[in-house]
């Protein structure tokens, strides 16, 4: 389940505050007449799957507005032609835990019009007592919800489906007994839904052996798959977000060249493009930028067993389908065979604590104390406060099903614990009072476990807030590309300019 910071009902105060008293704390019913609410979700309706792709504008309230493209969508149609079903109309919200438990949204077809009734259940988890609804709303000039509508309309334009009235928003809504328990998670409009054409899938020839290799870059490493013959290299794993997809490069002398723009399909929610990029001119804030290039090239050495990106300061970038966003970028890339898992002492992680957001940012190298690669799938970590291991409890971390002390390296609950390669971010809840926070990794191979030295941060001081006003904030992704508004779960560099001319740069994970 994709999750975001829940918007408070300041967005809906015009509706939900009607008839409330102002003196003293009161429980204000949020389940008001007129808000459509179905009882149950719909799973696995009849029909044949049709692959579609969706572009949409996402309004995340305080986080701003962002245009998203390349979202995967599946459509089914009834034989009578009067009913259409959408899966992932609100990307990331409709999946429980397997394909049979995807929720579907029903639409009724009349000519070129599709009517989608509001109040349909898009997510239900009885174990956690969670239920989310699809609502159709309008907003006023201040951005507050003006009213709930009974339906939203789409128009069929040839083989495309577009939103009929873009002043209406689809919203993911959580109902509650009180205003404090209810709220919105996201608002969406400007829907464009179109069928996916033929996508060329790269597959190594059956007679070519696939080998386990390692990819290293400035700041990290991971395992990849490589198959090769005299003319072609086939590589899977250059994109962390679509690790199962192969791309092919053509050998010429002592180089191998990969074209930009391959469409990767193994990401569960999006179609991803893999491209090359070169450093561009710094932007007005002095941050580096990247410019897409048509191909990227590796030098071949060691009898074909080592590939080194050339130039080293070029990037391999995971981009959105329409190239409008860059998700991840890697420079100084080197590829070589992996010699296998062996016992080793992992390198110490780096810990940073953000007191303002009660957030830990920890970098866990997939390397040993000598700088050699180790398999991150065999790494676990724990967080210690003043030397005492901290237990992450489902009572405080609702994405967990059981308490955890030792956390697998790649674990994420998509809400409080995020993973972006070696960079892990953890929102803290219900921690004891502490002076020092530490992170310790453990590497286990053949029953032999070795732990790193601890990385810690102490001396947490008070945050001083001077009488300064923010006049501008800009967001830059980790590849240096300016972005209008960051997507939830992304890690960005935020440049905050104050009215006295000072600029503060910080890393932030967007929820």
């Amino acid at each position: 389940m994709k999750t975001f910071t829940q918007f408070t009902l300041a967005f809906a105060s015009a509706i939900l505050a009607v008839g409330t008293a102002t003196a003293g704390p009161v429980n204000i019913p949020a389940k008001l007449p007129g808000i459509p609410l179905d009882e149950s979700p719909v799973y696995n309706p009849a029909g044949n799957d049709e692959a579609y792709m969706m572009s949409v504008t996402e309004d995340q309230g305080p986080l701003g507005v962002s245009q998203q493209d390349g979202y995967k969508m599946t459509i089914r149609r009834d034989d009578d032609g009067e009913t259409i079903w959408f899966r992932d109309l609100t990307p990331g919200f409709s999946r429980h835990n397997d394909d049979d438990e995807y929720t579907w949204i029903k639409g009724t077809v009349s000519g070129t019009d599709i009517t989608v009734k509001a109040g349909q259940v898009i997510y239900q988890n009885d174990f956690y007592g969670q239920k989310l609804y699809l609502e159709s709303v309008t907003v006023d000039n201040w951005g507050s919800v003006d009213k709930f509508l009974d339906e939203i309309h789409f128009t069929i334009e040839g083989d495309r489906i577009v939103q009929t009235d873009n002043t209406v928003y689809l919203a993911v809504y959580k109902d509650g007994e009180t205003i404090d328990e209810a709220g919105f998670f996201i608002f969406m409009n400007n829907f464009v839904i179109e069928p996916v054409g033929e996508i060329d899938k790269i597959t190594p020839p059956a007679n070519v052996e696939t080998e386990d290799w390692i990819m290293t870059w400035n700041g990290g490493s991971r395992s990849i798959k490589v198959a090769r013959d005299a003319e072609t290299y086939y590589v899977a794993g250059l994109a962390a977000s679509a690790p199962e997809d192969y791309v092919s490069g053509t050998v010429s002398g002592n180089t191998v060249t990969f074209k930009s723009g391959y469409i990767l399909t193994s990401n569960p929610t999006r179609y991803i493009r893999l491209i090359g990029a070169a450093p561009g001119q710094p932007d007005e804030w002095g941050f580096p930028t990247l410019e897409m290039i048509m191909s990227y090239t590796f030098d071949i050495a060691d009898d074909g067993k080592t590939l080194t990106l050339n130039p080293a300061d070029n990037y391999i970038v995971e981009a959105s389908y329409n190239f409008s966003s860059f998700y991840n970028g890697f420079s100084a890339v080197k590829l070589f065979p992996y010699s296998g898992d062996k016992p080793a002492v992992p390198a110490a992680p780096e810990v940073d604590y953000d007191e303002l957001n009660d957030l830990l940012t920890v970098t866990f190298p997939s390397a040993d104390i000598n700088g050699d690669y180790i398999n991150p799938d065999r790494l676990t970590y724990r967080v210690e406060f003043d030397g005492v291991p901290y237990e992450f409890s489902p009572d405080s971390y609702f994405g967990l099903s059981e308490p955890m002390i030792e956390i697998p390296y790649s674990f994420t609950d998509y809400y409080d614990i995020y993973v972006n390669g070696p960079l892990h971010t953890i929102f803290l809840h219900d921690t004891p009072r502490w002076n020092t926070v530490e992170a310790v990794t453990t590497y286990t191979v053949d029953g032999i476990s070795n732990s790193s030295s601890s990385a810690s941060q102490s001396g947490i001081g008070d945050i001083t807030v001077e009488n300064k006003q923010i006049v501008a904030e800009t967001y830059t992704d980790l590849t240096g590309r300016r972005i209008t508004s960051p997507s939830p779960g992304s890690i960005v560099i935020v440049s905050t300019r104050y009215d006295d001319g000072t600029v503060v740069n910080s890393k932030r994970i967007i929820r």
Side-chain angles (χ1 to χ4, degrees), residues 244-324:
E244 304 302 319
D245 287 275
Y246 280 89
V247 296
S248 63
T250 303
V251 175
S252 176
N254 292 323
T255 63
V256 56
T257 299
F258 296 80
K259 69 177 184 179
S260 288
Y262 276 113
I263 302 172
L264 311 182
T265 62
S266 64
N267 184 277
T269 60
R270 293 178 183 267
Y271 295 102
I272 303 292
R273 297 271 194 175
L274 191 67
I275 65 173
Q281 295 297 316
D283 65 12
E284 60 183 303
W285 302 97
F287 286 107
T289 61
L290 292 178
E291 297 178 357
M292 178 180 168
I293 54 180
M294 299 306 296
S295 62
Y296 49 98
T297 298
F298 290 85
D299 291 335
I300 302 173
D302 299 332
D303 196 26
K305 295 183 178 180
T306 301
L307 305 183
T308 304
L309 187 65
N310 187 13
D313 61 352
N314 276 0
Y315 282 78
I316 299 174
V317 174
E318 300 166 35
S320 64
Y321 183 85
N322 291 333
F323 308 105
S324 60

Side-chain angles (χ1 to χ4, degrees), residues 73-352:
M73 170 179 279
T74 305
I75 285 178
R76 293 179 182 176
R77 306 173 199 262
D78 283 1
D79 292 338
D80 60 13
E82 296 179 357
T83 303
I84 187 170
W85 296 92
F86 299 95
R87 196 183 82 177
D88 285 326
L89 190 62
T90 52
F93 283 98
S94 60
R95 185 175 184 180
H96 188 175
N97 55 31
D98 61 40
D99 287 345
D100 292 334
E101 292 183 315
Y102 266 104
T103 57
W104 293 72
I105 297 300
K106 181 181 179 180
T108 301
V109 180
S110 177
T112 60
D113 176 75
I114 298 174
T115 301
V116 173
K117 185 173 72 70
Q120 298 185 57
V121 179
I122 58 175
Y123 180 80
Q124 179 171 312
N125 188 321
D126 293 332
F127 182 82
Y128 291 111
Q130 298 169 339
K131 185 181 285 188
L132 299 177
Y133 300 89
L134 181 74
E135 299 295 346
S136 176
V137 301
T138 59
V139 299
D140 61 21
N141 293 333
W142 299 97
S144 298
V145 170
D146 184 42
K147 57 185 173 181
F148 284 78
L149 306 177
D150 292 330
E151 57 196 29
I152 190 170
H153 291 267
F154 295 88
T155 300
I156 300 172
E157 295 182 349
D159 58 0
R160 301 196 317 163
I161 299 171
V162 300
Q163 186 175 346
T164 305
D165 181 358
N166 287 312
T167 65
V168 177
Y169 291 84
L170 273 184
V172 175
Y173 173 72
K174 174 189 173 185
D175 202 35
E177 297 294 341
T178 69
I179 285 179
D180 291 337
E181 296 173 359
F184 294 96
F185 284 82
I186 195 169
F187 299 91
M188 308 173 73
N189 66 342
N190 296 305
F191 286 82
V192 177
I193 303 166
E194 49 196 334
V196 176
E198 291 293 327
I199 296 177
D200 292 331
K201 291 278 291 183
I202 304 298
T203 304
N207 62 345
V208 177
E209 179 185 2
T210 299
E211 304 171 329
D212 292 323
W213 280 38
I214 302 300
M215 171 182 170
T216 64
W217 66 90
N218 278 345
S221 57
R222 64 170 173 264
S223 60
I224 60 173
K225 298 288 186 181
V226 174
R228 56 196 173 103
D229 55 30
E231 299 178 348
T232 308
Y233 278 76
Y234 304 88
V235 183
L238 288 182
S241 59
E244 304 302 319
D245 287 275
Y246 280 89
V247 296
S248 63
T250 303
V251 175
S252 176
N254 292 323
T255 63
V256 56
T257 299
F258 296 80
K259 69 177 184 179
S260 288
Y262 276 113
I263 302 172
L264 311 182
T265 62
S266 64
N267 184 277
T269 60
R270 293 178 183 267
Y271 295 102
I272 303 292
R273 297 271 194 175
L274 191 67
I275 65 173
Q281 295 297 316
D283 65 12
E284 60 183 303
W285 302 97
F287 286 107
T289 61
L290 292 178
E291 297 178 357
M292 178 180 168
I293 54 180
M294 299 306 296
S295 62
Y296 49 98
T297 298
F298 290 85
D299 291 335
I300 302 173
D302 299 332
D303 196 26
K305 295 183 178 180
T306 301
L307 305 183
T308 304
L309 187 65
N310 187 13
D313 61 352
N314 276 0
Y315 282 78
I316 299 174
V317 174
E318 300 166 35
S320 64
Y321 183 85
N322 291 333
F323 308 105
S324 60
S325 299
F326 288 1
Y327 301 133
N328 291 302
F330 311 98
S331 63
V333 176
K334 190 174 183 179
L335 315 180
F336 53 89
Y338 182 43
S339 59
D341 298 340
K342 301 174 183 177
V345 178
E350 299 177 2
V351 179
D352 184 48

Side-chain angles (χ1 to χ4, degrees), residues 474-497:
T474 58
Y475 297 92
T476 307
D477 64 21
L478 295 180
T479 66
R481 180 183 174 94
R482 175 76 70 83
I483 49 181
T484 304
S485 180
S487 301
S490 63
I491 299 172
V492 299
I493 298 171
V494 182
S495 288
T496 305
R497 180 179 292 275

